Each structure stands twice: as structure tokens, then as C-alpha cells.
Amino acid sequence: MDKFTVISGIVTPLDRPNVDTDAIIPKQFLKSIHRTGFGPNLFDDWRYLDHGEPGKDNSRRPLNPDFVLNQSPYQDAVILLGRENFGCGSSREHAVWALLDYGFRVVIAPGFADIFFNNCFKNGVLPIVLDSVVVDRLFEAVAGSPGYTLRVDLPAQQITTPEQEIIGFEVDPFRKDCLIQGLDDIALTLQHADDIRRYEEARWLEVPWLFDK
Amino acid sequence: MSGKTLYDKLWDSHLVRQDDGGTALLYIDRHLVHEVTSPQAFEGLRLAGRRPWRSQSILAVPDHNVPTTDRAAGISDPVSRVQVETLDLNCSEFDITEFTMTDLRQGIVHVIGPEQGATLPGMTVVCGDSHTSTHGAFGALAFGIGTSEVEHVLATQCLIQKKSGNMQIRVDGRLAPGVSAKDVVLAIIGRIGTAGGTGFALEFGGQVIRDLSMEGRMTVCNMAIEAGARAGMIAVDDTTIAYLEGRPYAPGGEHWDQAVSAWAELHSDADAGFDRVITLDAGSLAPQVSWGTSPEMVTAIDAVVPDPDAESDPVKREGMRNALAYMDLQPGMAITDIRPDHVFIGSCTNARIEDLRAAAAVIRGRRVAAGIKQALVVPGSGLVKQQAEAEGLDRVFTEAGFEWREPGCSMCLAMNADRLEAGDRCASTSNRNFEGRQGQGGRTHLVSPAMAAAAAVAGHFTDVRQAGDT
């Protein structure tokens, strides 16, 4: 996983609530057995005018000019600005893989669905929850100046606007540390392998039927 | 000191360790695996030179990609085929029990776990699928995880978690005939919204929940995730125990008696505190139909499509306008005037034997209406299909004009060949009405099995409480 410390870049506004993971990456692309290559099909149903399928040459497909990712300068954005309940629905981690593969490293919204929120941290993507009033203000700022950029400083837990306004944000200390250091969760957990074995031995005495089959 | 909730008890009994910041290592008893969210996890395991911590805890089944027509011909879509074959190879490499595509026990992962007794009270159950909340119906802590977490559970038998809040949803009263578990859970989601349960573990209780069968309880817990909660659960009672007795993976002999006495503790204490309590009186509850592109966009069968102009929140108003445009519906239109052209009875929400019985009871002796292009019944598992056929339900459906298919996820998410075309409108017993969920441009109305059956016969949504009279 890539380390995450400070990221600066263009903010893409996606102004609708309840953006679900089916919309982020439609089901036909979940047939892949790999973690990469989902970027060209991020928001496929909204982004293209035709029906997408795995293996199709996306560079030849008709783009939907009304969709924000097809408008300049959002092709190069690294920060996505969303509305409440972002990432609801299916547990598919492919949604985060698609955002990351496209180039997004930060998603800002007033609220996230739990599984999506969790999946972000496992892949070096930082989901930031901000008060809906602040999110409203950011939407207005972006609408007023397309190409609007933000600087996101994870160690300091601060967002800096072009006007040098500082917006603080909360992040769980453990997750923050994993992101900054690019840590592998599994290796961390396996440091406690003895604890896991001790738990299993005690549990087996208490509820042996859970170990029957 | 106040007592513990069911969630508190399940959490505490699975805690391997916890740091000062509240980050915990939680032990996982049962890991269910399917073909879509596991290949990258197995690949990660291989690349790191790791093996599953406890292969015996894993049960695998292909369900999302499998065809629901003749299985002997294999899977014609080469990309789907590779994914299912990859599951077969991974399970054989890592000594994992798998019910393969041609096994009679194959089916939707959330149907077969309970059916086999592989989901037990007091367990933690995870799966790379958000509808894992289903298994909470057994007094288990069950929730969906992403693929990185699938790999984590494979490698360590644990998950890194933080505890959620406790929310109780109490459903009082008695359901009217024709009103089902699906209507209850849709009404709950309509009430608290699709983010209403975010950050909480839900416990469903009250007279209505206690009166439900295990199938009905699974329907309710299945859709906890549609209310934003990763986990939904219901206390253990005699209904739970009666369902489990004698199932292949349930404990036997002496262990059964020990288990049953231990399970008596799996309820919230009388003095347990909840962070949030919601109560619902189900006595006046009407059958529900979703009208929009989020499960919270739902109303009663005798209501009309709502008017966005009446919504004061500008973000919600815009969301409603988008939804109505996508669904091609007008504010004020009677729900009973909406005419589906497809009917889908299936999914991990509503493809169990009781669901098929409820739908068949409405259809018996009738015909699918002329305006319906396709009506599908997709049983949740091979064993559900076998049971339904033993009861003659397959003939009730086929004689009415339904197609009787092989088990799988099918048109709930349209990863296999079963899907809507753009503009098609479907009365569906599944769980999500998102844009494009059942096929790009397809329009989904979420309903109960009886309501889907009634719509199939009438050609439009109709109140199943009066379906006998029309």
C-alpha cells in the first residue's frame, strides 16, 4: 500500500447523495480476478453513453459530456467531494480499487457507509468526514472556481484551501498510523499470533461445538 | 451496572485483544466465501506465502456468476467462468470445503449457511458480501467485509475492528395477513433512512419479530445493511433452536445439549442500555413498494408517488427528482398504477422455501398477466428447489407462466445472464433498487414475494391483502 502523508490536487464535485458502490463500479467489472485496471470503468454508467463490458476498448466509447469526470479539468483530480452516505450498498472493494486506479486518493463527504469507509483505509485512500455545512461551502467554492484545489495533510489532520483557510478533520489514530506508514494489517495482526492461539484454546474449552466442523 | 445487549455479549466473547484507542482484534468463527470478492484475497495469501489459519472455518460456494439455466452446459461467459474456476482452484489448493456449481447443496451463500447449520448462535460470521447481516437472525454477529479483510480473516482468523453503537428496533403489534417480514424491513428503512443505522449494530425485537419464522427473521436482518448497519441481529429463542436441530453442520449429541443451554444467554439483558431505540407499530402496516433508486424511497401500496417539491431539504429534493426521472414516474401517481414488465422472485432476501410458498399461494390457479415480458423464480439453493418441487410449487409457477430456474444470485445484481434491458421495470423481491442494479437502465421496485406474485398476476402493483378479490 502506498504511504499517505500530504496530497494536493484538484477537487471533483459529485453532487448527489447516496452514491452507491454499484454506481462507482458496475457489477460486470467485478468478474476480474485482479486488483487493478478498474479506473477506466469508474462510474461507468454515468461516464459513458453506451453499455460497458470487460474487455471493451474504453478509449473508443462515447463519453457523457454532462458527467463531471468528462469535463476539464476534472480528468486529473485526486480529491472527490461527495454528499451523504457515500459508498453505500455492496461491500465490493472494487469500488475503492476503481477510485484509486483512476487517481483519487481522498474522498470528502458528510458521511460514508461503514464498509466502504473501512475499505478505503485498506488501500491508501483517505475518506474524510466533514460537517455538511462545510461540505456545502466546498461545493460552492468548487462551482465558483473550477480547478479548485485543496491540500490534505494527514499527519496534521488539516485541509488547506487556496485562501489558506485551515479545516481540521478527525481520523482514527490506528488507521492514521497505518496510512502514514503504509502498514500491512496482516503482518501487524500476526504479531499477536500467540494471543489468537490462547484465545482459541480457551474458547474451545468453553464452546467446543464451534470447532466441530 | 447496567446489563449487556446481545451485541455487547457477542463482541465481548470474541475479543482477542484491544488497545487503549479501542481498536480490537475480533475472532471470527465462520468465514463464508464466494467467487466475486475472494480471488484477490487468495492471490494476496499466495504472494505472501501464507496459508489459511483455520480452513475448517471456511465454507465456499459460487453464487453471483452462476447460470440459472442448464448447468450441464457450464458457464458460457468466459470471464464469469474464469472467476468460478478460480474459486474451485483456490478451494482445492487451500483445503476449503466448497459446494461447487453442480452440487445439490449449492446456492446463495446467505441461504446455504443457515440451511446447513453452518451459521450458529453465538458465532461471528463474515463474508465478502454486505448481505452477511442475514446470519444475525440466529443471534450471531454477522457482517460483510471487503476483500482485504477477507484476506485478513483467511490469514489470521481475526479482524481489526472498532465497536459499533447499539440500536434497538422494536416492532410491536401483529402483522395483518398478506403483510410480511419484507414489508416490515422496508418500512423500517423508509423510517430511518439508508444511513439511519450507520455506525450501529441493530437488534430487532418486539412481538412481530418474535412471531416471525427464521426465514422471515433472515429477511429482516438481510436488509440491515440497507439501513446503513453492517450487522443486524435477533435474540435466540425456541424458533431458532427448532430450525437448527439436525442440520448437517449443527452440533450433535452431547454438544447439542451444551450448545442449547449456552444459547439461552443470547439475548439483551432486561436492563441493557441502547444508544438509540426505534419503535414501530406493525398493526396498521400495509404492504410496501419502493418507488425510487434507494431502498429508503419506499411507500405503502395504497399511497402515491411522493412529490419532490414537498421535500424541504434541497439535497434530498434533488435526489428525489433524479430518482423519479430515472424511474420514469410522476409525483402523485398511484402506486397501483405502476405496471412492471418483469417479475423476479429470488435473492438472499427472499428465495427461501417460505418465500416461494407465499408467492405460490397468490399465483395458484392464475396466469401471469399479458403485459409481463418475463417472470422468474430463482430458488435460493438446490435444497430449497428440491423442497419446493416436492411440494409441487414448481408446477404452480410454471403453469402460471413463470420460469423455474436453478439457484443463484441471478437478477438481484445481474452478474450472470439474467438481467433487465434499459427501460425495463421489475417487481423484485431483492434488496437494492439502485440505478442499473438489475441491468443498465433497468428500473427496480422492491416488494415482498406475495406482492411480486400479485403484481405478476394483475399486471400492475396491487394490494395482496385484497388480491383474492380481483
Side-chain angles (χ1 to χ4, degrees), chain A residues 15-18 20-23 26-36 38 44-46 48-54 61 83-85 88-94 97 111-115 118-119 122-123 136 172-175 178 184-190 192-197 199-200 203-213, chain B residues 13-17 19 21 23 25 27 29-30 36-37 39-40 50 53-54 56 65 77 79-80 82-83 86 120 122-123 128-130 144-149 151-152 155-158 160-162 194-195 198-200 225-226 228 230 248-249 251-252 255 258-259 262-263 294 296 315 319 322 413-415 419 432 434-440:
Chain A
D15 195 0
R16 47 196 293 165
N18 301 314
D20 60 74
T21 54
D22 276 82
K27 78 278 303 188
Q28 62 270 35
F29 305 107
L30 309 190
K31 296 175 187 179
S32 166
I33 58 170
H34 307 290
R35 277 176 186 259
T36 53
F38 296 100
D44 198 272
D45 284 1
W46 293 340
Y48 300 96
L49 293 171
D50 66 345
H51 177 72
E53 280 295 332
R61 296 175 57 200
R83 291 289 186 185
E84 58 202 66
N85 203 25
C88 61
S90 148
S91 66
R92 59 186 72 167
E93 198 160 318
H94 312 64
W97 297 337
F112 292 89
D114 286 339
I115 304 178
N118 205 32
N119 286 342
K122 309 284 182 191
N123 292 280
D136 281 346
D172 175 74
F174 174 77
R175 287 169 153 165
C178 288
D184 169 9
D185 272 1
I186 295 176
L188 280 181
T189 298
L190 287 174
H192 305 297
D194 288 344
D195 290 338
I196 302 171
R197 283 191 204 99
Y199 172 88
E200 281 182 323
R203 188 81 173 142
W204 184 79
L205 291 173
E206 202 183 339
V207 287
W209 59 89
L210 290 186
F211 296 83
D212 283 354
K213 54 181 165 184
Chain B
S13 62
H14 289 86
L15 210 49
V16 172
R17 67 188 307 279
D19 70 19
T23 301
L25 209 54
Y27 190 80
D29 296 310
R30 178 69 69 202
V36 179
T37 56
Q40 296 87 350
R50 293 174 177 138
W53 182 281
R54 191 154 76 88
Q56 217 186 7
N65 275 284
D77 175 352
V79 196
S80 287
V82 166
Q83 202 167 52
T86 302
L120 293 173
M123 271 184 167
D129 191 286
S130 59
I145 56 178
T147 298
S148 293
E149 291 181 313
E151 185 182 339
H152 195 281
T156 71
Q157 208 61 39
C158 291
I160 300 171
Q161 292 285 298
K162 274 203 139 173
T194 45
T198 303
F200 290 100
I225 185 66
E226 261 54 70
R230 288 177 80 173
Y249 280 68
H255 278 179
Q258 277 180 38
W263 294 341
S294 163
E296 70 187 18
V315 175
N322 284 337
L413 88 166
M415 264 190 88
R419 65 186 72 161
R432 289 191 175 131
F434 299 157
E435 286 186 18
R437 171 78 180 181
Q438 296 191 284
Q440 192 181 14

Side-chain angles (χ1 to χ4, degrees), chain A residues 8-166:
Chain A
S8 294
I10 293 175
V11 181
T12 298
L14 189 60
D15 195 0
R16 47 196 293 165
N18 301 314
V19 170
D20 60 74
T21 54
D22 276 82
I24 298 172
I25 186 80
K27 78 278 303 188
Q28 62 270 35
F29 305 107
L30 309 190
K31 296 175 187 179
S32 166
I33 58 170
H34 307 290
R35 277 176 186 259
T36 53
F38 296 100
N41 300 109
L42 174 69
F43 298 118
D44 198 272
D45 284 1
W46 293 340
R47 192 161 150 202
Y48 300 96
L49 293 171
D50 66 345
H51 177 72
E53 280 295 332
K56 210 167 178 175
D57 180 358
N58 295 297
S59 66
R60 304 175 78 92
R61 296 175 57 200
L63 296 172
N64 173 8
D66 296 334
F67 187 59
V68 66
L69 286 188
N70 295 325
Q71 295 162 0
S72 182
Y74 298 119
Q75 288 90 342
D76 302 319
V78 295
I79 300 170
L80 188 64
L81 181 63
R83 291 289 186 185
E84 58 202 66
N85 203 25
F86 190 94
C88 61
S90 148
S91 66
R92 59 186 72 167
E93 198 160 318
H94 312 64
V96 179
W97 297 337
L99 287 163
L100 184 65
D101 200 55
Y102 183 90
F104 287 113
R105 294 296 304 278
V106 178
V107 186
I108 299 172
F112 292 89
D114 286 339
I115 304 178
F116 175 86
F117 189 74
N118 205 32
N119 286 342
C120 284
F121 285 100
K122 309 284 182 191
N123 292 280
V125 174
L126 175 63
I128 299 177
V129 179
L130 293 182
D131 189 87
S132 60
V133 177
V134 180
V135 171
D136 281 346
R137 206 145 48 74
L138 289 174
F139 269 104
E140 283 167 25
V142 173
S145 98
Y148 185 86
T149 60
L150 289 174
R151 180 176 189 274
V152 176
D153 182 337
L154 177 58
Q157 295 181 216
Q158 285 180 343
I159 298 170
T160 311
T161 70
E163 298 80 29
Q164 301 306 309
E165 184 196 350
I166 307 276

Side-chain angles (χ1 to χ4, degrees), chain B residues 187-200:
Chain B
I188 290 168
I189 297 162
R191 164 95 169 268
I192 71 173
T194 45
T198 303
F200 290 100

